[in-house]
Amino acid sequence: MRSISVRALALLCLVGLAACVGSPEVVGSARPARGSSTEGVTPGRGTGGSTAPYEGLGTWIDIYDTEVWEHPVHAVDSMAAHGIRTIYLQTSNFNRNGPFVHPEGVESIVDAAHRRGLEVVAWYLPGFRDVPTDLRRAIRSIRFRTGRGNRFDSFALDIESSEVRRPGLRTTRLLRMSAVIRRTAGADYPLGAIVASPHRMVRTDPRFWPGFPWRRLAETYDVFLPMTYYTYRVKGPRAAAWYTAQNVQILRQETVGLNVPIHVVGGISFDATEAETQGFVHTVLERDVIGASYYTFSGITLDQWKALSALR
């Protein structure tokens, strides 16, 4: 991330001044309720994809962001004005009838983003019940082209559905699907793994997905994107900072020795306060991560944008 650590001291002061005030994590399937040193460690990725689309400040669009889909070019202009580098755009999910819920909006956003020099990462939420359909939709995103010839700069798989109740079967299908996605995309195409909160999966709800294949996924995906939605778990800036740090730390422990690139996803923007956003940003600045973003764009306030600007 571009000289992201040099501003950590300034953010620490802001967080120190803030008073400490006093869940489901599936995204894109339903609108969420408004409620270690790595020096000398060899990266474990078996891929050659660039991490560039995941570096710096990003923002998220899901299929429910009506205002964005109704005014896509205006939304992209606003994102660019706020210093966004990458747009994370949901194409569809396993409950929908096709690979693109908003095909015209997708094309408009990709073209507008590339005109403004922004990158776009497509993301899709599979259910793992109908793997052939999930695969077709993922591959459609990877091969997508607009009428102007623009494409997505990367694809990220949203790995969190428990539609398949048996965790072992879920893991098997995830790994097989991931292998096909990598073969289709090619070794040089960047791929991201969006994962549920590591704190949830390891500490507070280990029965959700026991035996989650952290290290196997690192062989396929170039970047991990942990969903660090502290607004579901804690309140106040210090707690937000702590919860964010815990997720990064646990992910590092689960992939020890691999030095996996991490892009932290914070939020939920609709529920987060300015002070909590500052706490989130402070942790991002002091941890060894390549970028961060807030879920979703539609809920980010001017005060939150002010705090997130330190991540540009």
Side-chain angles (χ1 to χ4, degrees):
M1 186 178 298
R2 307 183 210 161
S3 63
I4 201 168
S5 61
V6 298
R7 291 182 287 268
L9 222 44
L11 257 293
L12 180 58
C13 294
L14 287 173
V15 175
L17 290 173
C20 186
V21 183
S23 108
E25 288 175 333
V26 175
V27 300
S29 57
R31 167 66 73 187
R34 306 276 192 236
S36 95
S37 172
T38 57
E39 183 178 355
V41 178
T42 302
R45 293 177 293 130
T47 66
S50 168
T51 62
Y54 300 91
E55 296 172 6
L57 180 61
T59 194
W60 293 74
I61 303 170
D62 66 25
I63 57 177
Y64 305 96
D65 284 320
T66 304
E67 187 175 342
V68 172
W69 295 114
E70 289 179 349
H71 307 283
V73 175
H74 174 75
V76 171
D77 288 343
S78 177
M79 294 171 191
H82 286 294
I84 291 298
R85 291 188 61 188
T86 300
I87 300 169
Y88 297 88
L89 180 154
Q90 184 181 18
T91 55
S92 189
N93 66 40
F94 63 90
N95 279 323
R96 295 301 176 121
N97 293 326
F100 300 101
V101 176
H102 304 282
E104 293 181 1
V106 168
E107 182 154 341
S108 294
I109 288 172
V110 173
D111 283 340
H114 285 181
R115 282 197 302 271
R116 298 298 299 265
L118 279 60
E119 303 204 63
V120 188
V121 174
W123 62 278
Y124 171 76
L125 171 63
F128 303 115
R129 282 191 178 276
D130 184 352
V131 174
T133 295
D134 285 334
L135 264 173
R136 282 196 301 272
R137 293 178 177 183
I139 291 170
R140 283 285 298 275
S141 294
I142 293 168
R143 293 177 173 169
F144 172 82
R145 295 291 188 281
T146 72
R148 297 177 179 273
N150 289 310
R151 64 182 298 193
F152 290 112
D153 300 284
S154 177
F155 173 80
L157 192 68
D158 184 4
I159 306 165
E160 57 173 319
S161 173
S162 57
E163 285 288 303
V164 174
R165 296 301 177 185
R166 292 164 49 197
L169 179 59
R170 205 185 310 155
T171 295
T172 297
R173 292 180 176 180
L174 162 63
L175 293 175
R176 288 177 178 171
M177 183 175 174
S178 297
V180 175
I181 289 172
R182 172 50 75 191
R183 285 199 300 271
T184 301
D188 295 331
Y189 187 76
L191 294 176
I194 307 168
V195 295
S197 160
H199 187 269
R200 174 193 177 187
M201 288 203 285
V202 175
R203 300 276 174 82
T204 62
D205 189 13
R207 297 172 66 180
F208 167 64
W209 199 322
F212 189 79
W214 302 100
R215 300 180 72 84
R216 293 286 300 279
L217 292 175
E219 297 173 3
T220 298
Y221 295 93
D222 300 288
V223 180
F224 278 87
L225 296 89
M227 290 178 277
T228 308
Y229 301 146
Y230 57 81
T231 57
Y232 288 142
R233 307 295 178 185
V234 299
K235 290 187 180 296
R238 293 181 185 176
W242 172 84
Y243 187 74
T244 304
Q246 284 291 299
N247 277 280
V248 174
Q249 179 180 331
I250 293 168
L251 180 49
R252 289 279 179 227
Q253 291 169 346
E254 295 297 320
T255 58
V256 64
L258 299 182
N259 192 21
V260 297
I262 297 173
H263 176 104
V264 185
V265 189
I268 300 291
S269 60
F270 293 98
D271 298 323
T273 67
E274 177 188 6
E276 289 169 344
T277 305
Q278 291 170 350
F280 168 78
V281 169
H282 167 65
T283 293
V284 170
L285 290 173
E286 70 173 5
R287 295 283 164 165
D288 183 20
V289 301
I290 65 170
S293 51
Y294 245 28
Y295 187 92
T296 66
F297 169 76
S298 297
I300 302 177
T301 66
L302 289 177
D303 287 338
Q304 290 172 357
W305 279 122
K306 182 178 179 180
L308 291 169
S309 67
L311 303 178
R312 294 177 182 173

